[in-house]
Amino acid sequence: MHIFGVDIGGSGIKGAPVDLDLGDLADERHKVLTPHPATPDAVADGVKEVVDHFGWTGPVGITFPGVVTGGATIRTAANVDKDWVDVDARALLSDRLGGLPVTVVNDADAAGVAEMQFGAGRDRQGTVVLLTFGTGIGSALFCDGVLVPNTELGHLELNGHDAETRASTKAKDDHELTWEHWAKRVTRYLAHVEMLFSPELFIIGGGVSRKSAKFLHLIEDIKAEIVPAELQNNAGIVGAAMRAAKAG
Ligand code: BGC
């Protein structure tokens, strides 16, 4: 079965039809730049452009980089325009897509469900935490394969700061941190999450998962196993489509 997945990110809006049996894209993905400011209207236009590129007419799963309740309503917008807060994104996006059925899901939760089914978390029981490092830090928490949605562990407070402002890859770029320096911050962050949840496994996702050879060996003294995400940049698209399929 194929369902369309769209991933709304800080820099790009990417999408493709997803083969849900394989957990992979069924076609080459199409990307448009995320508009700035990333207002609901402007982003909705971007999503429409991506979906129209394929002439798609079925259900669509869409990720959002903030808290999403009920597969529809946006509750926070840390890295996109604040006008998103309290918007019924399902209604807005479905309307913009000419009435196609739409499901909206937090971006890290989408990446997490894809990794648990088809990637680094396959067949893993117990507590698993997936963290995406990018513009912000996203989190997805699983117990025996079941997701606890909207955990927002990227906003834990560390040394008086919002953790994502210190340890995201944006923070690394903005402050020109070396891999060593950034890995120290990530280690401190992981130690804090470990203190709270004692996971068996950390999955490190987001664009940086492609560069795990540069930093994973620099992370020390964490008891949980730490592995890079396997679906890398496509995890959000695949997970969004999986959630849309589940929503029926
Ligand atoms: C948001 C999360 C999101 C993460 C990654 C954070 O700032 O609050 O909802 O998952 O960024 O995009």
Side-chain angles (χ1 to χ4, degrees):
M1 179 163 78
H2 290 186
I3 297 249
F4 203 90
V6 179
D7 194 14
I8 300 175
S11 59
I13 301 172
K14 303 156 272 183
V18 173
D19 182 326
L20 290 176
D21 298 316
L22 298 177
D24 204 356
L25 308 191
D27 203 340
E28 206 173 309
R29 66 186 198 172
H30 184 66
K31 173 176 168 174
V32 300
L33 293 181
T34 304
H36 290 287
T39 57
D41 230 30
V43 170
D45 282 343
V47 170
K48 178 174 167 47
E49 198 179 325
V50 170
V51 175
D52 282 356
H53 178 82
F54 296 87
W56 182 261
T57 54
V60 181
I62 303 174
T63 74
F64 184 81
V67 170
V68 184
T69 53
T73 307
I74 307 304
R75 297 296 182 196
T76 69
N79 295 306
V80 283
D81 195 87
K82 300 291 176 266
D83 276 0
W84 275 103
V85 175
D86 292 335
V87 164
D88 182 341
R90 177 167 54 200
L92 170 75
L93 294 163
S94 172
D95 188 53
R96 195 63 51 97
L97 296 175
L100 299 184
V102 164
T103 300
V104 187
V105 56
N106 171 263
D107 55 359
D109 285 347
V113 299
E115 286 292 332
M116 292 304 284
Q117 177 91 26
F118 297 108
R122 226 174 4 237
D123 301 326
R124 297 293 297 240
Q125 297 299 301
T127 303
V128 176
V129 175
L130 170 128
L131 296 166
T132 62
F133 291 83
T135 311
I137 298 177
S139 63
L141 172 66
F142 294 86
C143 182
D144 293 340
V146 178
L147 172 72
V148 181
N150 293 310
T151 42
E152 293 293 315
L153 302 183
H155 297 296
L156 285 172
E157 191 180 305
L158 264 194
N159 301 335
H161 296 276
D162 185 342
E164 78 171 18
T165 65
R166 310 285 295 165
S168 62
T169 48
K170 180 171 185 296
K172 177 181 182 299
D173 294 344
D174 287 353
H175 303 122
E176 296 179 10
L177 304 180
T178 60
W179 285 106
E180 285 75 13
H181 191 164
W182 181 69
K184 274 209 177 74
R185 291 185 177 190
V186 172
T187 301
R188 206 173 310 142
Y189 173 65
L190 292 180
H192 192 67
V193 177
E194 178 156 75
M195 184 270 288
L196 293 169
F197 296 101
S198 301
E200 272 97 296
L201 176 69
F202 279 117
I203 302 174
I204 307 297
V208 81
S209 56
R210 267 180 289 128
K211 300 181 187 156
S212 59
K214 291 201 191 289
F215 67 93
L216 270 194
H217 64 286
L218 300 169
I219 296 175
E220 290 171 337
D221 296 330
I222 303 294
K223 288 173 203 70
E225 190 184 342
I226 308 175
V227 296
E230 286 176 14
L231 281 75
Q232 300 181 348
N233 264 338
N234 292 334
I237 298 174
V238 172
M242 288 170 68
R243 292 312 264 190
K246 205 170 167 200

